[in-house]
Amino acid sequence: MTHTINSRNAYPGKPAQHGSPCPTGHGSGLALLCALLLLAALTLPAVAEAPSSDPFAAALELLNQSSFVKKAEAVKAIERLDHPQGLPVLRALLNGDLHARAEDGRFFIVRDKGGELELIDALSGEVTVTATKDGLKKVIINNQLRLALRAAVARLSLSNEDPAVRLSAVEEIMNDLDEAALGVLRAALAREADGGVREGMENALALGDLESPQRKVRQAAVTKLGASLSSVVRNRLTRLMDDPSEDPAVRAAARRSVSAMRFRLQIYGFFETVFFGLSLGAVLVLASIGLAITFGVMGVINMAHGELMMLGAYTTYVVQQWMPGHLDVSLFVAIPLAFLVSGLAGIAIERGVIRFLYGRPLETLLATFGISLVLQQAVRTIFSPLNRSVSTPAWMSGSLEINNALTLTYNRLYITAFGLLVFAGLVMLLKRTRLGLEVRAVAQNRSMAKAMGIRTEWVDAMTFGLGSGIAGIAGVALSQLTNVGPNLGQSYIVDCFMVVVFGGVGNLWGTLVGGLSLGIVNKFLEPSAGAVLAKILVLVFIIVYIQKRPRGLFPQKGRAAES
């Protein structure tokens, strides 16, 4: 016998409810469920009318596809969208910094911040810090997509507020010119106000005109490009000049333009070599003027002069370790401290050793050489034998770009100016102060100066301390050009003696002229002879010159000349 159960009579004693979609009464749970269903039915049309996704988010999702074709479509979509995160995302993708998180599909720009990872949300730009990349997978690109990314980043950068960024974008576009890129450049040129950026855009458009079927257009473009110094332009004109299928008139114009470009490059190359020579010469002057003072006044061959420079460089390193959050001002603190540390060390050397050896130059040479070894070993014991890297402040980083052929690095520019400033300050000290007057008196005639009541022992100590302090300042400058290590001074001590002897023992102006001259000559010899052979040739030249003029360029008068 089969029993059929009617759902409306499933609960005995309860009348069936007619005309109502949900039962009521004691079934309060069912009533709540009906209310929720009714609310969902009312809100369903509003949800259906909302947009399904953000276009920028949708473009990002395509980057997570395995197909590089889809990723290329994503790059084009991101470039078309005017989204504030578009350019950072494309740059991160190009540099390999864009990652996707598997658990929620979110994209992050990952940057290393000294042991910690900074995660920047690709959609919102929100920043979080983490220690690992757990759950993050790098978005992979290929070479073809990398080329497309470079062009897209360059095109987006054309709207940047910084003229340098826009000019860099123009140069990037010049490497991959097509009709779309030329159209973007024409539109950007109409609103560009900076003269340098406009010139770069005009050169890029002229490069595009080289593909024109009209000979006059190509010839005019070649003439226009002749004023440029860009390597991209020069290489393109060189290929055009050697193209046998090109019109002879266009090839002749290209030949003239390339010749003019090469001549200007030689001129700017000459000035760049002079600048590097002056910067090297300024370092030599800064390292040598302290030695010129001690050698000229006291007749002491100080072989520990390089180690005094080393102490100044290590002082800079220590100051930066004490001021990790104030890198930009650490050099201004290190300069006086380096002067004090090296100056006090020099006074201690003079009072403890050298004052007993006056009149015996060979013994002072050996004694100071031994002191240099002691200072080197002390530094190795305190700081270890490894080189220490001194950071360069932001205001000394980078370079001043005059044009595409002439670039001056800020660190060498500042060091050159600093060396000349220290030289001027030392000249004023020796000319306008009592200490300077007594130093000059002792240098010219020690016996007469002592008879006039000048405390020559005190002058010797102060002079040696002054020369040693300036060596410490030179060490601060050298810390911005090379690594700081126990052998730093040994790399410059021979050059310092060459400058002092060539310029004239004890003569500051001779040290200035000699240092700058040797620096420039060295830089002009290096490209053809090499760095080592260039120094050897300079040394041979000085030896020959001293044979003819034993007192150097500017001979010292007084006691040094008589001896």
Side-chain angles (χ1 to χ4, degrees):
M1 183 175 179
T2 303
H3 299 277
T4 302
I5 300 176
N6 192 328
S7 62
R8 288 183 294 181
N9 298 325
Y11 298 92
K14 294 184 180 179
Q17 303 294 326
H18 300 283
S20 173
C22 294
T24 57
H26 298 286
S28 58
L30 293 177
L32 179 60
L33 177 62
C34 290
L36 291 175
L37 291 175
L38 181 60
L39 180 61
L42 292 174
T43 57
L44 185 60
V47 174
E49 292 174 1
S52 58
S53 63
D54 179 19
F56 186 72
L60 285 178
E61 288 297 329
L62 291 177
L63 292 176
N64 217 6
Q65 301 291 326
S66 59
S67 171
F68 289 110
V69 176
K70 294 292 185 182
K71 292 181 180 179
E73 293 176 1
V75 170
K76 293 179 180 178
I78 293 173
E79 184 183 355
R80 286 195 304 267
L81 295 171
D82 187 16
H83 196 279
Q85 288 293 107
L87 184 57
V89 166
L90 293 182
R91 280 179 176 162
L93 182 60
L94 179 61
N95 297 328
D97 296 332
L98 188 65
H99 293 68
R101 192 159 64 188
E103 61 183 23
D104 55 6
R106 294 174 65 185
F107 288 83
F108 295 93
I109 300 172
V110 180
R111 292 175 181 168
D112 189 358
K113 293 294 183 180
E116 292 185 335
L117 297 177
E118 188 179 76
L119 305 185
I120 305 174
D121 192 287
L123 277 175
S124 63
E126 295 179 357
V127 180
T128 56
V129 177
T130 183
T132 63
K133 291 183 181 179
D134 292 343
L136 295 176
K137 182 180 179 181
K138 180 179 175 181
V139 180
I140 305 299
I141 60 175
N142 59 7
N143 289 334
Q144 185 176 1
L145 188 57
R146 191 172 286 108
L147 293 175
L149 277 168
R150 287 197 184 100
V153 168
R155 285 190 286 265
L156 287 176
S157 299
L158 288 176
S159 58
N160 194 283
E161 296 180 357
D162 188 356
V165 175
R166 298 199 300 273
L167 183 59
S168 177
V170 171
E171 293 173 352
E172 187 68 33
I173 291 177
M174 290 172 69
N175 294 316
D176 188 23
L177 282 173
D178 54 22
E179 287 301 324
L182 292 173
V184 171
L185 284 174
R186 291 189 186 97
L189 180 62
R191 62 176 183 271
E192 183 58 56
D194 186 82
V197 181
R198 286 185 63 86
E199 182 181 356
M201 291 179 175
E202 290 171 355
N203 289 334
L205 293 174
L207 275 178
D209 289 339
L210 293 179
E211 306 299 329
S212 173
Q214 301 180 17
R215 179 182 63 82
K216 291 185 177 180
V217 174
R218 298 198 304 276
Q219 190 170 354
V222 168
T223 305
K224 164 68 179 174
L225 292 172
S228 174
L229 293 171
S230 171
S231 59
V232 176
V233 173
R234 187 170 68 256
N235 294 335
R236 181 67 180 88
L237 291 182
T238 302
R239 292 198 304 270
L240 186 65
M241 179 181 67
D242 299 331
D243 187 1
S245 63
E246 184 55 72
D247 185 271
V250 177
R251 293 176 61 189
R255 191 174 296 108
R256 290 192 297 270
S257 296
V258 170
S259 298
M261 293 173 68
R262 287 173 178 171
F263 177 72
R264 289 197 302 276
L265 286 173
Q266 290 177 352
I267 293 177
Y268 287 120
F270 172 81
F271 284 115
E272 188 173 43
T273 304
V274 170
F275 166 72
F276 280 108
L278 287 175
S279 64
L280 174 61
V283 172
L284 293 178
V285 170
L286 193 60
S288 303
I289 50 179
L291 186 63
I293 295 173
T294 56
F295 198 7
V297 175
M298 307 166 64
V300 174
I301 303 175
N302 182 17
M303 294 299 294
H305 186 77
E307 279 58 45
L308 295 171
M309 290 190 289
M310 175 195 68
L311 291 180
Y314 271 102
T315 301
T316 308
Y317 168 75
V318 172
V319 168
Q320 287 196 354
Q321 299 303 306
W322 285 347
M323 306 173 60
H326 303 83
L327 181 61
D328 288 344
V329 298
S330 61
L331 280 186
F332 297 103
V333 177
I335 289 172
L337 284 180
F339 180 85
L340 288 175
V341 170
S342 297
L344 292 175
I347 292 174
I349 292 172
E350 196 278 335
R351 290 287 86 189
V353 178
I354 292 177
R355 72 187 181 99
F356 302 107
L357 302 174
Y358 285 129
R360 291 179 284 180
L362 181 59
E363 294 183 16
T364 59
L365 186 150
L366 294 175
T368 53
F369 179 71
I371 293 172
S372 71
L373 297 179
V374 171
L375 290 176
Q376 289 182 38
Q377 191 58 43
V379 165
R380 289 190 179 96
T381 303
I382 298 172
F383 296 100
S384 84
L386 301 177
N387 288 339
R388 300 294 179 176
S389 178
V390 176
S391 302
T392 301
W395 52 273
M396 286 187 69
S397 303
S399 58
L400 175 63
E401 185 174 350
I402 308 299
N403 51 46
N404 290 329
L406 182 59
T407 302
L408 310 179
T409 54
Y410 282 127
N411 60 344
R412 292 185 176 273
L413 196 61
Y414 283 122
I415 288 173
T416 301
F418 178 67
L420 297 177
L421 185 64
V422 171
F423 177 84
L426 184 59
V427 170
M428 294 295 293
L429 176 68
L430 294 178
K431 295 291 185 182
R432 300 295 178 89
T433 65
R434 179 176 177 83
L435 174 62
L437 179 63
E438 293 180 350
V439 167
R440 287 184 285 126
V442 173
Q444 291 178 11
N445 194 317
R446 175 180 291 269
S447 300
M448 183 60 69
K450 192 171 185 178
M452 296 296 293
I454 296 177
R455 297 170 55 192
T456 55
E457 296 83 2
W458 180 85
V459 172
D460 289 337
M462 291 299 102
T463 303
F464 205 91
L466 177 63
S468 302
I470 295 175
I473 294 177
V476 177
L478 289 176
S479 70
Q480 301 301 308
L481 298 177
T482 184
N483 287 328
V484 176
N487 298 321
L488 180 145
Q490 296 299 313
S491 304
Y492 288 91
I493 186 64
V494 175
D495 293 333
C496 291
F497 276 108
M498 284 197 302
V499 170
V500 171
V501 173
F502 176 63
V505 175
N507 192 295
L508 290 183
W509 291 103
T511 303
L512 176 66
V513 175
L516 295 180
S517 301
L518 293 181
I520 293 174
V521 170
N522 209 331
K523 285 301 178 182
F524 272 102
L525 289 176
E526 279 183 3
S528 57
V532 177
L533 184 57
K535 283 195 173 185
I536 295 175
L537 292 175
V538 169
L539 179 59
V540 171
F541 166 76
I542 291 177
I543 293 174
V544 174
Y545 182 84
I546 294 301
Q547 293 295 319
K548 299 296 182 182
R549 290 179 61 93
R551 297 181 181 178
L553 287 173
F554 300 92
Q556 175 74 353
K557 298 179 181 179
R559 177 172 59 87
E562 294 168 0
S563 59

